[in-house]
Amino acid sequence: MQAARHVVCALSGGVDSAVAALLLRRRGYQVTGVFMKNWDLLDESGVCTADKDCEDAYRVCQILDIPFRQVSYVKEYWNDVFSDFLNEYEKGRTPNPDIVCNKHIKFSCFFNYAVNNLGKLGSMGICFVGKRNFENFILQYLQPRPGKFISIEDSEVLGTHKGWFLYTLGQRAKIGGLREPWYVVEKDGTKGDVLVAPRTDHPALYRDLLRTGRVHWIAEEPPAALVRDKMMECHFRFRHQMALVPCVLTLNQDGTVWVTAVKAVRGLTLGQFAVFYKGDECLGSGKILRLGPSAYTLQKGRSRAGVATEGSGDGHSDSPGLGPTR
């Protein structure tokens, strides 16, 4: 009789990882449940959510009658993931800690642990720091930087905020005293102002051009067609489960790419990852570091034939038909 195959299932304490462990066990696998503790500070109510999640994961293992183990990567998580998370917010970007965590924790620390101690790596789950009041949480680590909410249409000051880094392009701005919703469309890191616009479909929320950092390609680096032609048609998304958007990639000499969408996309955000697809195949991804002008800027004739940058820009001018804007 063939021995049961051994898999490691990282249990977060939630439903998804518990069901994955159950299905693997029912299919004849020898399953070991492992809880990764990546965070140990108290939340705003004085409760350590990591301890509660660990207890939930342990109960799942008891119910499924599988071994349970716990590993701690609190130091690694802080150094490799959370420090990057804070640094990105200070720059005004909106980071994706899950992708960084995949690289440094899930597919490095945890993968090595699973292979060296428990045999093969199977289904995995991951927790960040649990549910939080985001503003209260982030202000425990970053100093407040008060600024103004300013209408992009007439420059009227609509209210104040505690820090421009607290806001993401496309999100609804919490401005006291206003009956109608306003949305974040730009951020001025120099002045600390957050520019907002009325209506969820305002043209200032839409852009069709972005530039990534160096792309991480999965199968080919980079794809042969992109190397040959310097341009390639594909699809991309930058949010989980958003509809794929047709686009054209333009390859730069430093391995970065310009992404030109066939139609303007709402809420493109610095710091998120543009993920590229060809049919059902995921080609790779790159962090969004520069954004083109919004549809509103173009309509108003204030484009200056350039692309918006955060900070002082990277000095490159190899954009597809556009030069850099400082």
Side-chain angles (χ1 to χ4, degrees), residues 12 155 259:
S12 64
S155 299
V259 183

Side-chain angles (χ1 to χ4, degrees), residues 149 167 170-176 178 180-184 194 196:
F149 286 115
Y167 297 91
Q171 81 170 89
R172 181 171 176 174
K174 297 179 180 179
I175 307 176
L178 298 183
E180 300 299 324
W182 288 69
Y183 298 87
V184 177
V194 175
V196 293

Side-chain angles (χ1 to χ4, degrees), residues 58 112 146 197:
Y58 176 69
N112 292 331

Side-chain angles (χ1 to χ4, degrees), residues 11-33:
L11 297 177
S12 64
V15 174
D16 292 346
S17 58
V19 171
L22 173 63
L23 293 177
L24 287 167
R25 189 173 182 278
R26 285 183 173 179
R27 292 180 182 179
Y29 289 92
Q30 180 183 342
V31 182
T32 296

Side-chain angles (χ1 to χ4, degrees), residues 207-208 233-239 242-249 259-266 268 275-277:
R207 290 176 167 84
D208 61 6
E233 294 183 354
C234 63
H235 290 75
F236 87 102
R237 63 163 56 107
F238 69 98
R239 286 193 304 266
M242 72 173 281
L244 290 172
V245 178
C247 67
V248 175
L249 304 185
V259 183
T260 305
V262 299
K263 63 177 181 179
V265 180
R266 186 186 186 280
L268 286 175
V275 184
F276 308 115
Y277 297 83

Side-chain angles (χ1 to χ4, degrees), residues 7-303:
V7 296
V8 179
C9 185
L11 297 177
S12 64
V15 174
D16 292 346
S17 58
V19 171
L22 173 63
L23 293 177
L24 287 167
R25 189 173 182 278
R26 285 183 173 179
R27 292 180 182 179
Y29 289 92
Q30 180 183 342
V31 182
T32 296
V34 180
F35 178 82
M36 284 189 293
K37 184 175 182 180
N38 299 330
W39 194 258
D40 63 357
L41 298 183
L42 303 181
D43 66 14
E44 289 75 18
S45 61
V47 177
C48 183
T49 55
D51 291 341
K52 181 182 183 303
D53 292 338
C54 185
E55 292 175 4
D56 292 340
Y58 176 69
R59 291 195 198 97
V60 169
C61 289
Q62 285 185 311
I63 293 172
L64 297 181
D65 192 24
I66 61 176
F68 172 80
R69 298 191 184 184
Q70 178 180 344
V71 293
S72 177
Y73 300 121
V74 173
K75 180 180 178 180
E76 293 85 349
Y77 191 88
W78 182 279
N79 292 336
D80 296 327
V81 181
F82 194 67
S83 294
D84 175 79
F85 174 83
L86 294 178
N87 184 53
E88 288 289 282
Y89 266 107
E90 282 193 307
K91 293 179 179 178
R93 301 172 182 165
T94 302
N96 187 328
D98 287 344
I99 290 181
V100 181
C101 186
N102 285 343
K103 177 181 179 181
H104 294 288
I105 306 300
K106 287 177 67 174
F107 298 119
S108 179
C109 297
F110 184 74
F111 178 82
N112 292 331
Y113 170 82
V115 170
N116 294 332
N117 296 279
L118 301 173
K120 296 182 179 180
L121 179 59
S123 171
M124 294 192 299
I126 188 65
C127 61
F128 180 34
V129 291
K131 294 183 179 180
R132 292 290 195 275
N133 176 302
F134 176 75
E135 181 174 306
N136 292 342
F137 174 73
I138 203 70
L139 288 177
Q140 293 180 33
Y141 302 93
L142 300 180
Q143 291 294 322
R145 299 180 186 176
K148 305 180 183 68
F149 286 115
I150 298 178
S151 168
I152 195 172
E153 294 187 335
D154 57 14
S155 299
E156 180 184 356
V157 176
L158 302 175
T160 59
H161 60 78
K162 296 180 180 179
W164 65 296
F165 51 80
L166 295 170
Y167 297 91
T168 298
L169 300 189
Q171 81 170 89
R172 181 171 176 174
K174 297 179 180 179
I175 307 176
L178 298 183
R179 298 180 58 183
E180 300 299 324
W182 288 69
Y183 298 87
V184 177
V185 295
E186 290 182 22
K187 299 189 292 184
D188 187 334
T190 303
K191 297 180 180 179
D193 294 331
V194 175
L195 279 64
V196 293
R199 307 192 319 274
T200 187
D201 61 348
H202 194 281
L205 290 165
Y206 290 83
R207 290 176 167 84
D208 61 6
L209 179 66
L210 65 91
R211 180 174 178 158
T212 73
R214 186 176 182 87
V215 176
H216 170 74
W217 302 103
I218 297 175
E220 295 182 282
E221 185 152 346
L226 185 56
V227 174
R228 182 184 66 244
D229 303 328
K230 303 303 180 185
M231 301 180 70
M232 183 178 72
E233 294 183 354
C234 63
H235 290 75
F236 87 102
R237 63 163 56 107
F238 69 98
R239 286 193 304 266
H240 180 57
Q241 294 186 336
M242 72 173 281
L244 290 172
V245 178
C247 67
V248 175
L249 304 185
T250 303
L251 181 65
N252 300 316
Q253 292 183 351
D254 59 0
T256 65
V257 297
W258 286 102
V259 183
T260 305
V262 299
K263 63 177 181 179
V265 180
R266 186 186 186 280
L268 286 175
T269 305
L270 295 169
Q272 292 286 289
F273 281 78
V275 184
F276 308 115
Y277 297 83
K278 195 77 169 179
D280 294 331
E281 180 185 5
C282 180
L283 302 176
S285 66
K287 184 186 293 185
I288 300 174
L289 298 183
R290 303 180 71 178
L291 298 176
S294 71
Y296 180 76
T297 298
L298 294 175
Q299 290 173 8
K300 291 297 183 179
R302 294 187 278 117
S303 173

